[in-house]
Amino acid sequence: MPDIAKLQIGENVYEFPLVKGTENEVGIDIKTLRSTTNGVITIDPGFKNTGSCESAITFLDGEKGILRYRGFAIEELAEKASFLEVAYALIFGELPTKEQLEKFHTDIKSKSVVDDDVRKILEAFPKSAHPMGILSSLTSALTAFNPSSVNVDSEEEMYNAIVKILGKFPVLVAWTMRKKSGLPLNYGSKSSGYVENVMKMMFEEPNEEYIINPIIKDALDKLLILHADHEQNCSTSTVRIAGSSHAGLFASLSAGISALWGPLHGGANQAVLEMLEAIKADGGDTKKYMAKAKDKNDPFRLMGFGHRVYKNFDPRATIIKKAADEVLKDLGVEDPILEIARGLEQEALNDPYFVDRKLYPNVDFYSGIIYRAMGIPVEMFTVMFALGRLPGWIAQWKEMRLNKEPIGRPRQIYTGENLRPFQSIEKR
Ligand code: CMC
């Protein structure tokens, strides 16, 4: 592989260095493009070919279906690690020792109390509010109760901000759900593990001891790990770009939550379940919906299918599909939409439209079926995704600040009116 790329514009040839990653990915470094070419820029809507940064956190090979956090295969992490270990590795670069993990958890627990006034903000939301809107607002509201911005040059301040949000975020997640279900707000217990406590905070009833179901706990741990990072996706890029203006961690996370909400991104898990339910209610005719998905005049898309980067299979979907089978079996839940999902997948895998476009089930296709079997309401699915993605967002925000990346500010090619005179309102 050569070291430079050449670009010819008219008679002029420009040279740009190539950047190589540790997995041999190659990028053309065009930092000097505009200055050397007298104003020429690149256009790449949706950033399909544009790398926004160099990053040492997550490696993803969409052609081969590979996903690794800090060099560890997702399959191995999902099988052997806990969510908190994975969070530590993503944020600090290495898997923790036993002592490091214990200290990390203790520090997180010590910062988990949310200012009681946050309850008042939550109370003001109507019960009909979507939990993602509530979560984004409450995360943003945390800035009001923690006003000092992090001095990123201080390791201690950075660490404190990180354990603070890892402590408080699950409380906000649980409270958004309890707001919906009408249960009194709670804190779970300090003696529980991180994921156990999330479950406790979400499901514990005021008049009953909450017994952790290990099947649900293991499945939730796995789901959170699978969602924990995914390099420069829409919400993570949002977190990085918001943070690049030196907006604080909590404010940047709130922006990321809003980006995650959309049905083409994290909101797909809710959309998948609603789609499967709609197909069931319509008699389970999967062929009809396959035809709709392929019809260019129909806005319907097969939710949970396709991915910007994975063009072979989504390794997270493979793990989740297996987990869905196991969890439903272990819990003794028979969900008819699992059959519909399997049927749709089978048809899509044999349909030239999907095969030619390399559209495969993604992480969101089966996750909702597991969430529902766990007793999590459909509107909370994307909130669960946010809980899983939190360590990834934090790690990416931290990396961006420590790398002293410049403010994210894309350019454009203007296609509007040329200069024209102002007409007074009487003459228009
Ligand atoms: N159903 C039907 N057709 C599809 C689908 C789908 N789910 N996804 C892509 N296509 C078609 C699309 O119409 C286009 O066809 P053509 O070349 O004829 O114009 C082609 O496949 C390429 O699609 P694209 O929209 O240009 O691809 P993209 O990389 O911009 O979008 C995506 C990726 C994930 C937004 C898209 O596949 C999609 O909308 N999927 C459904 C929503 C979904 O499941 N999102 C979750 C993604 S994974 C988790 C996450 O990111 O949070």
Side-chain angles (χ1 to χ4, degrees):
M1 174 68 72
D3 299 336
I4 53 159
K6 289 184 185 174
L7 171 71
Q8 184 163 4
I9 305 176
E11 295 293 296
N12 300 321
V13 177
Y14 304 91
E15 292 190 352
F16 300 97
L18 296 184
V19 180
K20 224 186 209 181
T22 46
E23 292 287 344
N24 297 323
E25 293 167 297
V26 180
I28 305 171
D29 175 352
I30 56 153
K31 281 191 209 89
T32 58
L33 175 67
R34 192 169 178 278
S35 59
T36 53
T37 57
N38 206 12
V40 174
I41 61 165
T42 55
I43 283 283
D44 185 19
F47 310 120
K48 291 191 177 194
N49 304 279
T50 299
S52 60
C53 59
E54 290 177 37
S55 178
I57 301 170
T58 288
F59 172 65
L60 202 168
D61 183 328
E63 274 70 35
K64 296 193 185 127
I66 293 174
L67 174 62
R68 293 180 203 143
Y69 301 158
R70 298 289 188 185
F72 301 105
I74 191 67
E75 292 79 6
E76 212 177 357
L77 291 173
E79 200 54 45
K80 300 177 184 164
S82 71
F83 176 59
L84 209 56
E85 276 178 291
V86 169
Y88 187 99
L90 282 168
I91 296 168
F92 301 110
E94 295 294 340
L95 283 167
T97 61
K98 206 164 178 290
E99 292 72 34
Q100 284 169 329
L101 187 63
E102 264 168 33
K103 178 177 181 323
F104 189 45
H105 193 201
T106 305
D107 293 339
I108 289 170
K109 285 188 283 191
S110 75
K111 302 281 185 206
S112 62
V113 175
V114 172
D115 193 295
D116 220 42
D117 279 346
V118 173
R119 286 174 189 261
K120 293 186 195 147
I121 301 176
L122 182 63
E123 270 166 28
F125 280 95
K127 247 197 173 137
S128 58
H130 194 284
M132 281 298 277
I134 301 179
L135 185 67
S136 167
S137 307
L138 294 187
T139 306
S140 181
L142 284 184
T143 56
F145 300 95
N146 303 269
S148 58
S149 192
V150 188
N151 169 13
V152 296
D153 295 322
S154 156
E155 226 175 276
E156 192 189 344
E157 277 196 35
M158 182 72 97
Y159 181 79
N160 281 337
I162 290 167
V163 291
K164 226 183 223 180
I165 194 65
L166 282 167
K168 295 180 199 310
F169 197 74
V171 178
L172 302 185
V173 162
W175 284 6
T176 57
M177 179 165 141
R178 295 178 83 87
K179 162 90 190 177
K180 278 253 162 221
S181 55
L183 285 168
L185 305 185
N186 69 351
Y187 267 106
S189 110
K190 271 195 174 176
S191 59
S192 304
Y194 191 80
V195 172
E196 280 95 332
N197 204 39
V198 169
M199 290 169 62
K200 213 168 207 179
M201 286 193 290
M202 286 172 73
F203 298 118
E204 190 168 47
E205 306 224 351
N207 49 359
E208 206 171 277
E209 192 194 348
Y210 182 71
I211 313 278
I212 301 282
N213 180 332
I215 300 167
I216 297 185
K217 190 251 144 196
D218 288 348
L220 185 54
D221 223 320
K222 196 173 278 193
L223 281 171
L224 295 176
I225 290 171
L226 293 174
H227 286 87
D229 195 46
H230 214 233
E231 51 118 300
Q232 307 313 316
N233 57 83
C234 176
S235 58
T236 301
S237 299
T238 302
V239 169
R240 278 183 95 122
I241 212 162
S244 75
S245 73
H246 294 193
L249 175 60
F250 302 169
S252 306
L253 292 172
S254 165
I257 296 165
S258 298
L260 185 74
W261 191 356
L264 299 190
H265 190 13
N269 55 14
Q270 175 177 342
V272 168
L273 208 104
E274 287 167 352
M275 174 188 79
L276 294 173
E277 279 298 345
I279 296 174
K280 186 177 132 223
D282 198 16
D285 185 356
T286 49
K287 292 209 163 43
K288 176 176 162 188
Y289 286 84
M290 289 292 287
K292 275 166 75 63
K294 293 188 283 183
D295 180 356
K296 290 290 167 202
N297 298 316
D298 190 326
F300 176 79
R301 278 192 166 199
L302 200 55
M303 300 313 287
F305 260 78
H307 197 275
R308 169 61 60 78
V309 186
Y310 292 121
K311 300 298 174 197
N312 187 335
F313 66 95
D314 180 339
R316 304 167 301 173
T318 311
I319 300 170
I320 289 184
K321 185 184 176 188
K322 191 163 163 269
D325 285 338
E326 289 165 3
V327 171
L328 265 64
K329 190 165 159 268
D330 288 349
L331 293 175
V333 173
E334 276 183 30
D335 193 334
I337 64 166
L338 184 59
E339 266 320 300
I340 295 176
R342 285 197 194 111
L344 275 177
E345 181 183 1
Q346 230 18 66
E347 280 178 45
L349 293 179
N350 293 304
D351 188 309
Y353 174 97
F354 288 87
V355 174
D356 293 349
R357 289 171 180 76
K358 299 182 169 35
L359 302 171
Y360 297 92
N362 59 48
V363 67
D364 292 320
F365 194 62
Y366 285 102
S367 63
I369 296 177
I370 310 184
Y371 287 137
R372 187 156 83 167
M374 289 172 173
I376 297 173
V378 179
E379 280 199 330
M380 280 294 293
F381 290 1
T382 314
V383 169
M384 300 313 291
F385 190 150
L387 180 64
R389 186 54 54 90
L390 180 67
W393 286 333
I394 296 171
Q396 301 270 354
W397 183 91
K398 175 171 169 269
E399 180 181 70
M400 179 272 308
R401 289 303 311 271
L402 293 183
N403 284 352
K404 304 214 179 307
E405 283 176 20
I407 185 166
R409 203 299 188 187
R411 287 190 174 262
Q412 62 164 22
I413 295 292
Y414 175 67
T415 59
E417 297 287 345
N418 295 118
L419 180 65
R420 47 184 176 159
F422 176 83
Q423 298 277 2
S424 63
I425 199 159
E426 296 76 25
K427 291 190 184 155
R428 275 173 234 158

